[in-house]
Amino acid sequence: MPDIPFTAEKLLFQVAMPNLDATPIIFAFPNEYSVGITSLGYQVIWAMLARRSDLQVSRLFTDCHEPLPAQPALVGFSLSWELDYVHVLNLLEQLQIPLWAAERTAVHPLVFGGGPVLTANPEPFADFFDAILLGDGENLIGEFIHAVQAGQGTDRRTQLQQLAQVPGVYVPSLYKVTYHSPDGPIQSICPVIDVVPAQVEKQTYRGNVLSVSTVVTEKAAWENIYMVEVVRSCPEMCRFCLASYLTLPFRTASLEESLIPAIEQGLTVTDRLGLLGASVTQHPEFSELLDYLDQPQFDAVRLSIASVRTNTLTEKLARSLVRHGTKSATIAVESGSERLRQIINKKLHPDEILRAAINAKAGGLSNLKLYGMVGIPGEDPSDLDQTVTLIQDLKRAAPGLRLTLGCSTFVPKAHTPFQWFGVNPQAEKRLQRLQKQLRPLGVDFRPESYNWSVIQALLSRGDRRISRLLERTRHYGDSLGSYRRAAKELRGQLPELAFYIYEPWPQEQVLPWSHLRGPLSQATLEKHLAIAMA
């Protein structure tokens, strides 16, 4: 594999010279370099490792790698997208490491993983990993490495037991899952030894200095982007939203201590700035941040902002975006139905949505992108009509403003109040209905693949039995038909796919992630569900 992409990198930290006895680590992103190097989480963890002289770190992507150690002690993966599991397995094979953790011996490295996919629900992938880090890397990675180094020289089983006692480190092999039947629900999930905690708690970083890019490169998917995390989590707590519930509490970066110094550093190597976060514009000093960026010395800076809270899309914000080379803004409205927005806790009045469009046009933006969703629990066909009506109202309120509606299917996510629901089987027809109604209005309607949503639901609600399905499916392709083919071959060894995808689950049912503690207890999630459905 070539190592050409690395020569274009502009590093914003000092890589340490490894000691002679440094622990050799391969840190992988299971996708192409251009994708992986655009992941802020991957950048930050790589820098935390590469700053240490007691570690020798080599990066690995699907299309390139740095020089790799012959006998690594650790192989780590940062997993941001569910379907990248295929590349995890392929890379393990390339490294000649057994896919299944149970088949690894003392001659093999420990394989660990982290990232949003594994923190949400690691169970479909659990049998491929020796250890999984749940939560924010700022808290986890240092303690994990320390425990690995402290356990060197002990047998593999002892080392895993020691790792399992580090807060946030989940060792799947030390938990036994039993089922009511081979193709039935889970009966229990219990530690196999007393020293292992009954529940592994996700770790939460609570500082006011958030993540920033550690490398800038023209080879990134977002060319030469310097990323600054403005906020973490979201205070709105939409009932379906993993980005809010899994990452609570809502945290903001200090303007003076974090944001301004970070921006000043980044703009020494690039003129492209990305402000990241699930709810960037709800930073309490966001207006002051805009004022800072609107100074004349930053006129040449190209600015990108993640999805904007609808009622914070002011004319001032629109003008600032235009001034810095951005022609569109993105807001999430989910549905034109106010009743549905109340169900999902989307605290948004119709007038606020119209005002956002008016402000966008008045500020000089040419396009407004909206996120919508079908198949929301409690939805009926008349709610779709209200979405069409909303689009018509927006076109009248801001004539000439191009409208794009990206629409996905509701997918239940672990650690959210809607985790007990399944995918609505009518969702595909509802996407088609919306497309038929919106096409004559001149709206750019972009539905997310319904089949992808179905696969996503399978992985988001899957248990350990799904790992056997995944290992087979990768040989057949990534279509829904490939999953069905593998499931047919495994019939009797796991539930029907509909159990994971479509069926609502009773609240007393043991969930695949019941032994993994998120920010909120199950009792709290049940309370939020009851409020939504009242």
Side-chain angles (χ1 to χ4, degrees), residues 104-118:
R104 296 178 197 134
T105 66
V107 301
H108 298 114
L110 291 174
V111 177
F112 72 96
V117 170
L118 294 176

Side-chain angles (χ1 to χ4, degrees), residues 17-77:
M17 179 66 69
N19 300 331
L20 291 177
D21 59 348
T23 303
I25 297 178
I26 296 174
F27 187 47
F29 191 95
N31 208 308
E32 295 179 353
Y33 172 85
S34 64
V35 177
I37 207 63
T38 313
S39 164
L40 182 57
Y42 180 80
Q43 283 192 22
V44 168
I45 299 303
W46 165 60
M48 290 180 70
L49 297 172
R51 284 188 177 104
R52 297 178 53 152
S53 59
D54 60 342
L55 303 177
Q56 178 187 335
V57 186
S58 301
R59 288 175 290 168
L60 170 65
F61 304 91
T62 57
D63 58 346
C64 63
H65 59 72
E66 293 175 310
L68 302 178
Q71 293 182 307
L74 288 168
V75 174
F77 292 91

Side-chain angles (χ1 to χ4, degrees), residues 361 365-367 394-403:
K361 183 183 178 185
L365 292 174
S366 58
N367 186 32
L394 288 171
K395 290 184 73 68
R396 282 192 291 267
L401 182 68
R402 291 200 306 272
L403 298 178

Side-chain angles (χ1 to χ4, degrees), residues 79 215 293 387:
L79 200 58
V215 57
L293 292 172
T387 296

